[in-house]
Amino acid sequence: MKKMLLLLILTATTAMGQYPIAYPLSYPLPMPHAMPGGSEVSPFWGLDCDGGDYTESAGLIAGLSNKTTGSVGFWCQVPADNNQRTMIGISVTSGDYTILGFQFVSKKLFVALALDGAAMAGWRWQATDALVSGDWHHFVIAHNATEPTFFMDGAALPGTFLISGDKTMWWKTLINDATNTSDITYIGAFNLGYGGLDFFDKAITQVGFSSSVLTAVDAARIMVSNTAPDYDIASYRMTPGSGQTLADDSGNGYTHQLGSTSGVDANDPTWTESEWNLLSQTGPE
């Protein structure tokens, strides 16, 4: 009996590769538990945008105020075209061009912080490589008060600063700006400051804002956990996946409204249910 038990343990450990059954998890996994190397999947909810849909915060996310450091993370699909497509935007609703946008341009991740319109203070960064339309990827953008860093699927993402005017700018710059106050956070769009919106056209999920400066190790860990305790400012897990309100799972109450009104309207993204494959780590399938 002892030999049989030992054989079972060794077989399981070998089959799991570097993740034996007794591997100590430092973060919770969604149910049913699905270790990397396993084959199970967990329920998944997300919001599918069609190029005119979005959610918006009910006023300013005050937890971002005065923050010179912090991180943003999310899963999303790569757009179908080469147009500018915004997954997440923090922006004013009127006045000059004061925004922080997490976007795709030519299917490359593009992140831009602009302050007060014509002055164009801030920075612009774009990834080196274009991605494949429809593929899912997990992104984390972190700022350490000196400059931002960029991660995709748990690893550093190569890219270049197209404008590097002041790379120290982050949330505090926008939200505490003397000229314009950024008062809305969008998922699936952002306000350009001139009365127009720029939209996303694919699905997005697991959006979060963290006060921590997340690393590649953190990004890899968050990538396989849909509870993401790191998102302590605001966390949008997008469960249970229904209704007109996107709950903030951080407990801070920064809820989002689907669409342009509290009721059903043409700007509502569609709740979508699929499966999140933790084995391949490629997001919903």
Side-chain angles (χ1 to χ4, degrees), residues 102-135:
F102 303 89
Q103 309 167 292
F104 278 109
V105 175
S106 298
K107 301 174 189 173
K108 301 176 183 179
L109 183 67
F110 181 84
V111 184
L113 191 153
L115 182 66
D116 294 343
M120 295 301 284
W123 49 267
R124 317 284 187 280
W125 180 94
Q126 186 168 30
T128 302
D129 298 323
L131 302 173
V132 177
S133 296
D135 280 2

Side-chain angles (χ1 to χ4, degrees), residues 40-272:
E40 295 184 22
V41 293
S42 63
F44 158 79
W45 286 99
L47 288 173
D48 193 4
C49 303
D50 65 1
D53 301 335
Y54 58 91
T55 74
E56 62 179 50
S57 60
L60 174 69
I61 295 183
L64 301 178
S65 182
N66 290 315
K67 293 287 193 306
T68 58
T69 62
S71 306
V72 178
F74 53 93
W75 275 97
C76 73
Q77 284 181 296
V78 180
D81 57 36
N82 290 326
N83 294 334
Q84 178 172 298
R85 299 291 185 180
T86 300
M87 294 80 75
I88 301 170
I90 304 174
S91 54
V92 299
T93 53
S94 62
D96 275 334
Y97 192 76
T98 297
I99 58 93
L100 174 57
F102 303 89
Q103 309 167 292
F104 278 109
V105 175
S106 298
K107 301 174 189 173
K108 301 176 183 179
L109 183 67
F110 181 84
V111 184
L113 191 153
L115 182 66
D116 294 343
M120 295 301 284
W123 49 267
R124 317 284 187 280
W125 180 94
Q126 186 168 30
T128 302
D129 298 323
L131 302 173
V132 177
S133 296
D135 280 2
W136 281 91
H137 292 282
H138 180 258
F139 297 97
V140 168
I141 297 89
H143 205 296
N144 62 6
T146 299
E147 62 180 3
T149 51
F150 309 86
F151 307 101
M152 185 180 78
D153 301 335
L157 180 60
T160 186
F161 284 95
L162 305 179
I163 297 176
S164 56
D166 188 349
K167 292 188 287 186
T168 67
M169 290 184 175
W170 194 230
W171 294 325
K172 180 179 178 179
T173 307
L174 277 71
I175 294 174
N176 302 101
D177 175 38
T179 306
N180 292 300
T181 300
S182 293
D183 53 4
I184 296 290
T185 299
Y186 296 91
I187 296 174
F190 81 141
N191 194 302
L192 298 174
Y194 301 106
L197 290 175
D198 179 78
F199 298 103
F200 193 44
D201 66 345
K202 286 291 185 179
I204 186 168
T205 189
Q206 308 293 316
V207 176
F209 296 85
S210 174
S211 61
S212 300
V213 182
L214 300 177
T215 65
V217 173
D218 296 323
R221 170 173 47 77
I222 293 170
M223 181 178 165
V224 294
S225 170
N226 71 354
T227 55
D230 300 84
Y231 297 150
D232 57 330
I233 296 177
S235 177
Y236 304 104
R237 293 173 55 197
M238 302 193 181
T239 53
S242 63
Q244 291 298 114
T245 301
L246 182 57
D248 172 14
D249 297 296
S250 72
N252 293 326
Y254 299 127
T255 59
H256 269 231
Q257 164 190 289
L258 270 64
S260 55
T261 67
S262 58
V264 176
D265 61 62
N267 298 121
D268 290 354
T270 303
W271 288 106
T272 179

